[in-house]
Amino acid sequence: MYAILGLLIGVAAGIFLQPTLPAAMQPYLPIAIVAALDACFGGLRAFLEQKFSDRVFTVSFVSNVLIAALIVWIGDLIGVGSQLSTAVVVVLGIRIFTNVAAIRRALFHA
Amino acid sequence: MPEQRRRLVASFFRPSRGHLVASVILMLCGLAVTLQVRTLSTEQDFSTLRRSELIAMLDDLNARSRRLETEIASLEGTRQQLQTGADRQQVAQAEADKRRSELAILAGTAPATGPGIRVVIDDPQAKVGESLMLGALGELRDAGAEVIEINDSVRVVASTWVGSEGTTLVIDGVRLTRPITLEAIGDPHALSEALRFRGGLVSEISDERVGGQVSIVTESEITIGSVRPVVEPRFARPA
């Protein structure tokens, strides 16, 4: 319940407060979002498999986001930023699909 | 109902510390997503592009603008050509129109107006013949008559002929009733002098042998309304 409340509060804050992101960080936000999605689905999967630990969840979320942004940042520095961001999106996408498949199996046995 | 689903529903109503952590993280997640969506929808998406992509885009735009500029130049040249062509055509058209109306007056296909004289020849003995009439027309033309009309009905043109049937004068197939009225557009003074000189029309008609009377009225505005139909020449062709 708190989780859903938190999500709603975050969306509402984004819409109504209109915070602005520093321009230097803007290229990394999409990648960070994908990483965060991956962490969220991973957390739900762990919960359904009765392995959920809020510490692991927090650490995985933060590290996912930071590492994704870091990879893209380094890629930008060495001139392969767009390729590396594609790679990150592909890998995280595969992980999201795997997680969702596990969640589906746990919830529906299908 | 599977066990996992029951657990999910049960935990929904039983908050714990893990829920708080998840809520904070999901809040961050939602914030980031809305931020990104808003940035994409409000700004042009150039800000998220990399330098090489921007350079490629700039190159592309430069090339396109160069191409469009050459196209503009060529189109402007074409417009210039068309405009001068249209101007020239308009001038030629105006020239042709002016010439056509001049020729229409000359050929008698259009009504005409202007200063001139009205000559009324009254000869009770009907002795004014073809030669006198031809002489009168010749004198008027010699004095610069531009348009001549007889009896308000016959326009004198290049093909005009004068004949007679007994004592009746016939001009272009029209029998003239007496008195004969000549109307001519031209310099009124020159026209009336051309008829009045000694040995001219007036003196010939006033002579005892003819015994007629000529009255010459100078008008500042004579309108000649009779016209000739346009006749296609049957034999003559422009050489």
Side-chain angles (χ1 to χ4, degrees):
Chain A
M1 191 158 65
Y2 284 156
I4 291 173
L5 270 181
L7 182 66
L8 289 180
I9 288 171
V11 172
I15 290 174
F16 293 112
L17 297 183
Q18 311 222 328
T20 46
L21 201 66
M25 281 178 67
Q26 262 173 8
Y28 310 114
L29 187 59
I31 299 297
I33 287 171
V34 177
L37 275 182
D38 174 50
C40 291
F41 281 113
L44 185 55
R45 177 188 182 180
F47 175 80
L48 291 174
E49 289 172 357
Q50 307 189 15
K51 294 189 291 192
F52 182 77
S53 145
D54 50 358
R55 211 167 58 90
V56 172
F57 181 47
T58 314
V59 169
S60 82
F61 177 84
V62 172
S63 68
N64 252 4
V65 169
L66 286 185
I67 290 172
L70 185 73
I71 288 175
V72 178
W73 179 63
I74 290 174
D76 269 345
L77 285 188
I78 62 177
V80 286
S82 57
Q83 289 92 326
L84 266 188
S85 62
T86 311
V88 168
V89 168
V90 168
V91 171
L92 291 178
I94 291 172
R95 280 179 52 123
I96 288 173
F97 270 103
T98 322
N99 284 339
V100 171
I103 292 166
R104 192 192 61 214
R105 270 194 295 276
L107 281 184
F108 306 111
H109 296 293
Chain B
M1 198 189 230
E3 191 245 346
Q4 273 99 345
R5 224 183 297 175
R6 216 173 312 131
R7 229 164 56 76
L8 191 67
V9 174
S11 77
F12 193 83
F13 299 104
R14 219 177 324 110
S16 69
R17 196 167 66 98
H19 282 203
L20 275 179
V21 173
S23 79
V24 169
I25 284 173
L26 279 175
M27 190 193 84
L28 286 180
C29 209
L31 190 68
V33 169
T34 46
L35 204 63
Q36 176 66 11
V37 168
R38 237 197 39 230
T39 321
L40 278 186
S41 60
T42 52
E43 280 177 34
Q44 277 283 347
D45 47 351
F46 298 137
S47 58
T48 57
L49 293 181
R50 266 159 265 282
R51 194 183 301 165
S52 57
E53 289 170 323
L54 286 172
I55 289 173
M57 201 179 280
L58 191 63
D59 271 355
D60 185 44
L61 285 175
N62 276 341
R64 206 190 301 171
S65 84
R66 262 200 305 280
R67 222 177 26 246
L68 289 174
E69 264 164 20
T70 54
E71 201 176 318
I72 285 174
S74 83
L75 285 176
E76 268 176 355
T78 314
R79 191 186 62 169
Q80 195 95 34
Q81 274 178 358
L82 288 174
Q83 230 161 23
T84 54
D87 284 353
R88 219 176 298 146
Q89 204 180 357
Q90 247 167 11
V91 170
Q93 179 82 43
E95 197 74 21
D97 278 350
K98 192 161 155 267
R99 196 153 167 70
R100 195 188 55 173
S101 49
E102 285 169 6
L103 287 174
I105 288 177
L106 207 59
T109 56
T113 181
I117 58 167
R118 178 174 291 116
V119 183
V120 181
I121 301 169
D122 187 17
D123 67 324
Q125 302 169 40
K127 283 195 175 166
V128 173
E130 306 156 46
S131 61
L132 258 177
M133 202 56 178
L134 272 176
L137 291 178
E139 294 292 351
L140 284 174
R141 279 195 170 147
D142 186 26
E146 287 164 0
V147 182
I148 304 174
E149 188 189 43
I150 300 174
N151 272 6
D152 231 355
S153 56
V154 184
R155 179 86 167 254
V156 180
V157 293
S159 59
T160 294
W161 53 268
V162 181
S164 61
E165 258 176 43
T167 59
T168 312
L169 272 174
V170 181
I171 291 192
D172 286 346
V174 178
R175 294 149 172 274
L176 295 186
T177 54
R178 289 184 159 87
I180 299 164
T181 308
L182 292 173
E183 282 173 311
I185 293 177
D187 176 14
H189 179 72
L191 291 177
S192 54
E193 286 309 307
L195 301 180
R196 280 204 179 105
F197 72 96
R198 187 181 294 272
L201 183 78
V202 176
S203 63
E204 283 225 28
I205 289 177
S206 322
D207 195 83
E208 290 164 6
R209 280 174 293 151
V210 179
Q213 271 191 333
V214 179
S215 76
I216 298 176
V217 185
T218 302
E219 302 266 1
S220 63
E221 178 96 5
I222 286 184
T223 301
I224 290 177
S226 58
V227 294
R228 289 296 182 112
V230 179
V231 182
E232 281 284 320
R234 278 172 58 202
F235 303 104
R237 294 272 173 277

